[in-house]
Amino acid sequence: EPEVTQTPSHQVTQMGQEVILRCVPISNHLYFYWYRQILGQKVEFLVSFYNNEISEKSEIFDDQFSVERPDGSNFTLKIRSTKLEDSAMYFCASSGSSGAVDTQYFGPGTRLTVL
Amino acid sequence: AQSVAQPEDQVNVAEGNPLTVKCTYSVSGNPYLFWYVQYPNRGLQFLLKYITGDNLVKGSYGFEAEFNKSQTSFHLKKPSALVSDSALYFCAVREREKGNKLVFGAGTILRVKS
């Protein structure tokens, strides 16, 4: 069964450093998402991406965040200058379309620790 | 704004007994509703969804959920719990015609004891 994969599983970085989290969505999917979960808190939507552009973003997704689909398979989340409060589990998801019946399938997550 | 409430942090049930994990939602329009499960060190796995039609939805691993519009609820149920059902369960809502983002509840830990 196709699945979303994410690398690395755990990323440790120093405050102020740039990080790139990588995802490989399900191959025939068209919509891609990033969510995050700060320890002990809810899973929160960050951004959705379709047709090589952001289709929706949350208030959390400020100028330090960016997303890219550099090739036909990868979908990345870049955090330019990490802050302590960026420490969280980051989940990538994909779906086939924005249709009413569509389901978002999630990857296993990348745990980001900012020191 | 959309919101989801899962009023129980944890649900404990004996193996073989029926289980219910509660979820209520708030949206201004019509909802799409989802349940996901998370096992330790794993991602969110899709269980089931309500889009339209029959209020009782059946999903993976014997789980089902009932959409109740008047009570704005979407409780997850299973007639006979297994120890392997022990995990963290998330309810999520997406509002129709307002984009694709999912809004999640805080999650409920289900513990099934043998």
Side-chain angles (χ1 to χ4, degrees):
Chain A
E1 182 178 326
E3 58 182 18
V4 177
T5 59
Q6 291 185 242
T7 54
S9 57
H10 191 187
Q11 175 86 48
V12 181
T13 189
Q14 296 290 325
M15 190 170 55
Q17 295 296 304
E18 175 183 287
V19 295
I20 298 176
L21 310 182
R22 290 181 168 79
C23 168
V24 179
I26 293 172
S27 63
N28 62 345
H29 281 183
L30 302 175
Y31 285 79
F32 314 111
Y33 313 86
W34 284 102
Y35 291 79
R36 79 173 185 188
Q37 184 181 30
I38 295 171
L39 189 62
Q41 299 186 23
K42 294 183 179 183
V43 176
E44 303 172 289
F45 169 79
L46 291 178
V47 65
S48 61
F49 190 85
Y50 169 72
N51 199 25
N52 280 322
E53 60 182 27
I54 291 173
S55 50
E56 190 176 2
K57 63 182 181 179
S58 72
E59 294 175 352
I60 303 168
F61 195 87
D62 60 23
D63 291 344
Q64 70 161 344
F65 291 93
S66 63
V67 289
E68 190 179 30
R69 187 154 163 83
D71 53 40
S73 60
N74 289 284
F75 178 54
T76 62
L77 174 69
K78 181 191 290 186
I79 309 175
R80 288 189 184 79
S81 178
T82 51
K83 306 171 187 172
L84 295 176
E85 54 265 36
D86 293 328
S87 295
M89 180 73 88
Y90 288 80
F91 293 106
C92 175
S94 69
S95 65
S97 72
S98 66
V101 296
D102 202 48
T103 298
Q104 294 178 26
Y105 293 91
F106 285 76
T110 293
R111 182 169 297 284
L112 176 66
T113 302
V114 182
L115 302 176
Chain B
Q2 304 125 309
S3 67
V4 175
Q6 293 181 242
E8 303 152 318
D9 293 335
Q10 184 166 315
V11 170
N12 297 309
V13 65
E15 188 175 32
N17 283 1
L19 69 87
T20 298
V21 182
K22 295 179 180 178
C23 171
T24 59
Y25 66 90
S26 175
V27 295
S28 57
N30 291 311
Y32 300 137
L33 293 155
F34 302 81
W35 276 102
Y36 287 85
V37 60
Q38 185 178 32
Y39 297 98
N41 301 315
R42 301 286 297 277
L44 301 170
Q45 295 181 35
F46 169 71
L47 274 181
L48 51 78
K49 63 186 175 188
Y50 170 80
I51 302 299
T52 188
D54 194 348
N55 289 342
L56 184 64
V57 178
K58 295 187 183 294
S60 306
Y61 312 119
F63 284 94
E64 58 188 31
E66 186 164 12
F67 171 62
N68 188 318
K69 187 172 183 178
S70 63
Q71 297 185 3
T72 61
S73 67
F74 189 57
H75 301 330
L76 182 69
K77 300 183 179 184
K78 187 172 181 180
S80 179
L82 300 173
V83 172
S84 57
D85 293 329
S86 299
L88 179 58
Y89 290 80
F90 290 97
C91 182
V93 68
R94 176 188 149 190
E95 190 164 357
R96 297 186 189 194
E97 299 167 7
K98 287 197 177 180
N100 294 355
K101 74 173 186 182
L102 294 176
V103 174
F104 284 86
T108 299
I109 297 170
L110 173 65
R111 294 201 192 281
V112 182
K113 295 186 178 180
S114 58

